[in-house]
C-alpha cells in the first residue's frame, strides 16, 4: 500500500500554496528580515507579475558578506543595500503541482536542494504558486506510510 501512495502522490498534496516570496528589487536586508521573521531558509524571488526570477537563501546572503577575490569585505550595511537580484540564484529547478512527489524527492536527493518552487508554466516565465521542501515531502510520505500500516 505504501508503494501505491508513494507512486500516486503529487507535489500538490504536500506543498505550501501561495508561499512567502521576495521581490527581485527588494534589498538583501529586507530579504533577510522577511526570511528571519518567517523562520525559513530560502524563498522564491518574483517580479511584479509573480513570475519566478530566482531563489534566494541564507547561503546566498552569506555569500554577499564573504570576502571578494580582492579580499574586500562588505560590511552588513553595504551588503544589506544590495538588491536581491544581485545575490539570488538564477536557473532554478522547479516542479509543477501535478508532478509526482517522487520526482521532487529524486530532485532533493540528487541535487541536495532543500526547497523547490512550485510553478505554473505558460507563455512567459513560470508563475510561482507554491513551494515544496524536503520536510514537506518527508512528512507526507512518512505519515502516509504510517496510515497504511
Amino acid at each position: 500500500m505504501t508503494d501505491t501512495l508513494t507512486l500516486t502522490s503529487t507535489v500538490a498534496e504536500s506543498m505550501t500554496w501561495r508561499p512567502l516570496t521576495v521581490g527581485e528589487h527588494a534589498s538583501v536586508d529586507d530579504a533577510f528580515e522577511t526570511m528571519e521573521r518567517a523562520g525559513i531558509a530560502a524563498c522564491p524571488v518574483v517580479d511584479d507579475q509573480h513570475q519566478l526570477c530566482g531563489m534566494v537563501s541564507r547561503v546566498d546572503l552569506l555569500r554577499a558578506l564573504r570576502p571578494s577575490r580582492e579580499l574586500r569585505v562588505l560590511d552588513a550595511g553595504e551588503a544589506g543595500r544590495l538588491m536581491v537580484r544581485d545575490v539570488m540564484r538564477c536557473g532554478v529547478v522547479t516542479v509543477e503541482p501535478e508532478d509526482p512527489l517522487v520526482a521532487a524527492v529524486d530532485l532533493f536527493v540528487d541535487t541536495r536542494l532543500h526547497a523547490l518552487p512550485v510553478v505554473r508554466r505558460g507563455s512567459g516565465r513560470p508563475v510561482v504558486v507554491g513551494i515544496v521542501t524536503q520536510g514537506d515531502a518527508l512528512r507526507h510520505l512518512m505519515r502516509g506510510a504510517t496510515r497504511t500500516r
Side-chain angles (χ1 to χ4, degrees):
M1 190 68 146
T2 303
D3 291 338
T4 303
L5 173 74
T6 303
L7 293 175
T8 61
S9 295
T10 64
V11 169
E13 294 174 53
S14 64
M15 66 184 257
T16 299
W17 292 88
R18 294 182 302 282
L20 185 65
T21 60
V22 175
E24 64 181 328
H25 299 292
S27 70
V28 164
D29 194 43
D30 288 342
F32 169 74
E33 290 300 325
T34 299
M35 292 165 56
E36 189 73 5
R37 245 188 336 271
I40 58 175
C43 66
V45 178
V46 297
D47 64 14
D48 294 335
Q49 288 78 43
H50 222 61
Q51 294 176 329
L52 182 65
C53 299
M55 282 287 279
V56 66
S57 69
R58 289 180 182 169
V59 171
D60 299 318
L61 301 182
L62 283 170
R63 194 176 295 116
L65 294 167
R66 190 171 67 179
S68 69
R69 289 190 175 140
E70 298 80 33
L71 299 180
R72 183 177 184 296
V73 178
L74 294 180
D75 66 33
E78 287 177 298
R81 287 187 294 274
L82 290 172
M83 283 195 263
V84 169
R85 71 174 183 214
D86 298 325
V87 300
M88 71 182 188
R89 284 175 289 117
C90 301
V92 178
V93 176
T94 63
V95 292
E96 294 186 78
E98 300 79 16
D99 287 344
L101 186 56
V102 294
V105 170
D106 285 344
L107 286 168
F108 289 136
V109 172
D110 293 345
T111 66
R112 297 189 180 188
L113 293 171
H114 297 279
L116 297 168
V118 183
V119 300
R120 292 269 184 225
R121 292 182 177 85
S123 58
R125 286 192 293 186
V127 174
V128 175
V129 297
I131 194 161
V132 63
T133 66
Q134 288 179 350
D136 296 333
L138 187 57
R139 258 188 307 284
H140 179 82
L141 295 172
M142 293 302 291
R143 288 183 181 147
T146 302
R147 283 193 307 266
T148 58
R149 287 187 189 152

